[in-house]
């Protein structure tokens, strides 16, 4: 049985065709520059040569058509007909309070998704365009929506209400939602498997550290708190996003620099984080190299990031009765040997001890704490596409 996973952005689209019997990716790829010049599709069938095509891609329907044609192509296709695709799983960024899990898409679901557009004006319209394009081309294939926010819907008001007048929550649904939910859910399930425990019995702190980063506190398999908020801007300093800052900085800069809301929003999302502090790069590898060459601001940016991760871990410790493991995932979490070491070094007061040799690995499941450590430290490579495919499969069964 094959599930097609679609992650649709405003001008790009990522896809994976997953063979659910083998739990393997049969083909994956990326369509870029949809609706602009120089549009292209990169298609990678597993075990065959990669194909890149530069062609006119005016909209998402044409993009999906190209994806489907590639998958069934006589030469480089991986299945012989579209009938072999049992369902399509769509990544949707914001599910607001409408969705606390994945859902089979019908007209009512589309309406509810449309209600969430205000909360993610850059992402949800693109996700909806992808769904509409697939429905047009494959009207009889079941579609499932998988939301970045859904796994966090178990958070209590004490952790999701902001201390501003309550009417803004009632009027505009301003509250913490949290993101990267599909990743936090995937690593929670994997951690339970690796620890040999029922998923409803694991207590974890899951650290998704990539270009965008978020941390979640998991109690009995459910999220009780997470670092991102109404939008993915809150929490840790990230590649280009500022994370937590004093909110008064917004009006202060507005007045001092004569910046409007859009300019401040762009500054906080695109020019801040480790890029803003270092002035070097948003990429952690570049920062490590610059710091080795003596760039103090690159080191400062890295120190701030590591310290912020530790502070969240500390605050989640006091919210969890006990912690089975701290999980590291995503680009930096899976591959950043130095970052993991710097973060874990600062956790000694909690009785947490890292084994340097075990930490010396990239992108593999691994427990890297010492025998004496009070809490296990684990690396678990995330797999959001597989999680989307698994949710899709369970809903169509
Ligand atoms: P995204 O949020 O875009 O999905 P990723 O999860 O792919 O991001 O993470 C990208 C980040 O991972 C980049 O900052 C990159 O520098 C970092 N990264 C990747 N490989 C390494 C590595 N070997 N050492 C340190 N950081 C790494």
């Amino acid at each position: 049985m094959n599930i097609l996973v679609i992650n649709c952005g405003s001008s790009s689209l990522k896809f994976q065709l997953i063979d659910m019997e083998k739990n393997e990716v049969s083909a994956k790829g990326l369509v870029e520059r949809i609706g602009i010049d120089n549009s292209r599709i990169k298609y990678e069938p597993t075990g065959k040569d990669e194909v890149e095509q530069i062609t006119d891609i005016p909209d998402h329907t044409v993009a999906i058509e190209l994806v489907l044609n590639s998958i069934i192509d006589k030469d480089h296709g991986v299945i012989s007909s579209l009938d072999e695709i049992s369902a399509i799983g769509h990544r949707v960024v914001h599910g607001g309070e409408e969705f606390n899990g994945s859902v089979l898409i019908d007209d009512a679901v589309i309406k509810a998704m449309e209600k969430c557009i205000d909360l993610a004006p850059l992402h949800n319209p693109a996700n909806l365009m992808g769904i509409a394009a697939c429905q047009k081309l494959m009207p009889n294939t079941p579609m499932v929506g998988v939301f970045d926010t859904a796994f966090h819907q178990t958070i209590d008001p004490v952790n999701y209400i902001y201390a501003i007048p309550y009417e803004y929550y009632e009027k505009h649904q301003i509250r913490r939602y949290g993101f990267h939910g599909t990743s936090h859910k995937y690593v929670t399930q994997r951690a339970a498997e690796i620890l040999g425990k029922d998923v409803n019995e694991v207590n974890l702190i899951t650290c998704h550290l990539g270009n965008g980063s978020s941390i979640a506190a998991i109690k009995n398999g459910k999220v009780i708190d997470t670092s991102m908020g109404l939008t993915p801007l809150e929490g840790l300093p990230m590649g280009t996003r500022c994370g937590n800052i004093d909110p008064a900085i917004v009006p202060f800069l507005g007045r001092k620099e004569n910046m409007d809301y859009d300019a401040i929003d762009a500054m906080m999302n695109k020019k801040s984080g480790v890029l803003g502090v270092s002035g070097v790069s948003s990429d952690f590898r570049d920062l490590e190299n610059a710091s080795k060459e003596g760039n103090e601001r690159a080191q400062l940016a890295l120190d701030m990031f590591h310290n912020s991760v530790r502070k969240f871990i500390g605050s989640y410790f006091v919210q969890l009765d006990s912690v089975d493991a701290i999980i590291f995932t995503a680009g930096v979490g899976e591959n950043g040997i130095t970052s993991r070491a710097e973060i874990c070094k600062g956790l000694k007061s909690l009785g947490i001890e890292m084994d340097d040799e075990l930490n010396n690995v990239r992108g593999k499941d691994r427990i890297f704490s010492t025998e004496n450590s009070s809490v296990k430290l684990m690396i678990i490579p995330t797999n959001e596409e597989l999680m989307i495919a698994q949710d899709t499969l369970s809903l169509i069964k």
Side-chain angles (χ1 to χ4, degrees):
M1 180 179 284
N2 300 295
I3 306 280
L4 179 63
V5 176
I6 300 276
N7 180 355
C8 206
S10 56
S11 69
S12 71
L13 183 162
K14 287 189 209 140
F15 64 94
Q16 277 194 11
L17 185 71
I18 301 181
D19 180 330
M20 298 309 285
E21 266 101 41
K22 297 191 195 140
N23 247 347
E24 272 174 21
V25 177
S26 327
K28 62 177 179 179
L30 171 68
V31 186
E32 285 176 294
R33 303 181 63 84
I34 301 170
I36 28 186
D37 61 334
N38 245 330
S39 331
R40 62 193 67 209
I41 173 168
K42 193 162 101 182
Y43 168 74
E44 297 173 57
T46 305
K48 296 184 191 175
D49 286 342
E50 184 181 306
V51 186
E52 190 160 350
Q53 193 188 348
I54 298 181
T55 175
D56 199 25
I57 311 178
D59 57 36
H60 288 77
T61 307
V62 175
I64 305 258
E65 214 163 5
L66 279 166
V67 170
L68 299 177
N69 288 343
S70 303
I71 291 171
I72 57 166
D73 185 85
K74 272 206 306 312
D75 298 324
H76 49 252
V78 288
I79 52 174
S80 44
S81 122
L82 293 182
D83 295 340
E84 291 174 46
I85 299 176
S86 306
I88 303 181
H90 293 269
R91 178 197 179 209
V92 183
V93 169
H94 219 305
E97 289 185 332
E98 302 283 333
F99 301 102
N100 59 13
S102 303
V103 282
L104 260 176
I105 297 173
D106 59 18
D107 290 347
V109 165
I110 298 273
K111 284 217 171 70
M113 283 181 188
E114 284 167 350
K115 273 202 200 161
C116 304
I117 287 179
D118 263 359
L119 294 168
L122 296 179
H123 296 104
N124 274 34
N127 303 151
L128 282 161
M129 274 195 279
I131 294 168
C134 287
Q135 283 177 328
K136 194 164 149 195
L137 297 165
M138 297 178 70
N140 300 319
T141 307
M143 314 265 158
V144 168
V146 180
F147 304 88
D148 274 17
T149 49
F151 189 50
H152 300 298
Q153 278 293 301
T154 47
I155 296 175
D156 277 340
V158 68
N159 275 331
Y160 76 64
I161 292 291
Y162 291 113
I164 57 175
Y166 196 81
E167 67 193 73
Y168 297 124
Y169 165 59
E170 294 173 310
K171 226 163 118 184
H172 304 297
Q173 292 78 52
I174 293 177
R175 51 160 282 181
R176 175 183 314 289
Y177 290 97
F179 296 85
H180 294 139
T182 312
S183 175
H184 289 290
K185 184 176 168 187
Y186 177 81
V187 298
T188 297
Q189 292 185 354
R190 271 299 287 151
E193 264 171 43
I194 295 167
L195 295 168
K197 283 184 104 166
D198 188 293
V199 72
N200 297 315
E201 284 171 8
V202 284
N203 290 345
L204 306 168
I205 297 173
T206 51
C207 307
H208 177 111
L209 311 177
N211 195 21
S213 296
S214 69
I215 307 194
I218 313 281
K219 189 174 186 174
N220 297 325
K222 295 193 173 60
V223 184
I224 59 161
D225 201 3
T226 191
S227 58
M228 282 180 168
L230 171 74
T231 74
L233 186 58
E234 196 185 344
L236 300 157
M238 309 178 210
T240 62
R241 286 175 240 164
C242 61
N244 291 348
I245 58 171
D246 182 343
I249 292 171
V250 175
F252 186 92
L253 268 183
R255 290 183 203 111
K256 286 273 179 201
E257 297 270 330
N258 202 16
M259 289 160 87
D260 64 13
Y261 291 125
D262 287 342
I264 297 176
D265 200 35
M267 177 276 290
M268 292 191 298
N269 274 290
K270 299 196 170 123
K271 294 186 187 156
S272 300
V274 292
L275 167 70
V277 173
S278 68
V280 172
S281 172
S282 62
D283 191 296
F284 278 68
R285 285 163 294 196
D286 297 344
L287 293 175
E288 285 180 12
N289 290 335
S291 142
K292 276 188 207 131
E293 285 162 13
N295 187 313
E296 286 178 12
R297 266 169 52 196
Q299 188 57 49
L300 173 62
L302 288 168
D303 290 345
M304 285 168 64
F305 176 76
H306 300 143
N307 192 42
S308 182
V309 174
R310 284 194 293 263
K311 287 204 270 192
F312 271 102
I313 290 176
S315 79
Y316 290 166
F317 249 86
V318 291
Q319 295 194 66
L320 292 162
D321 300 330
S322 65
V323 180
D324 296 309
I326 300 173
I327 315 297
F328 289 81
T329 195
V332 179
E334 293 166 24
N335 305 300
I337 295 169
T338 317
S339 280
R340 280 195 306 259
E342 287 301 317
I343 293 163
C344 296
K345 254 194 239 163
L347 300 175
K348 286 205 182 104
S349 59
L350 297 168
I352 297 171
E353 237 178 56
M354 182 192 87
D355 181 315
D356 283 311
E357 228 161 273
L358 291 175
N359 179 45
N360 197 12
V361 67
R362 298 190 207 279
K364 279 202 187 116
D365 284 343
R366 163 83 55 98
I367 295 176
F368 66 102
S369 41
T370 63
E371 294 268 323
N372 297 329
S373 179
S374 59
V375 171
K376 287 195 169 59
L377 298 166
M378 295 170 89
I379 303 159
I380 301 182
T382 193
N383 195 337
E384 290 162 278
E385 291 78 13
L386 183 61
M387 189 75 255
I388 293 174
Q390 285 172 350
D391 270 15
T392 303
L393 181 64
S394 70
L395 278 165
I396 60 163
K397 260 185 177 166

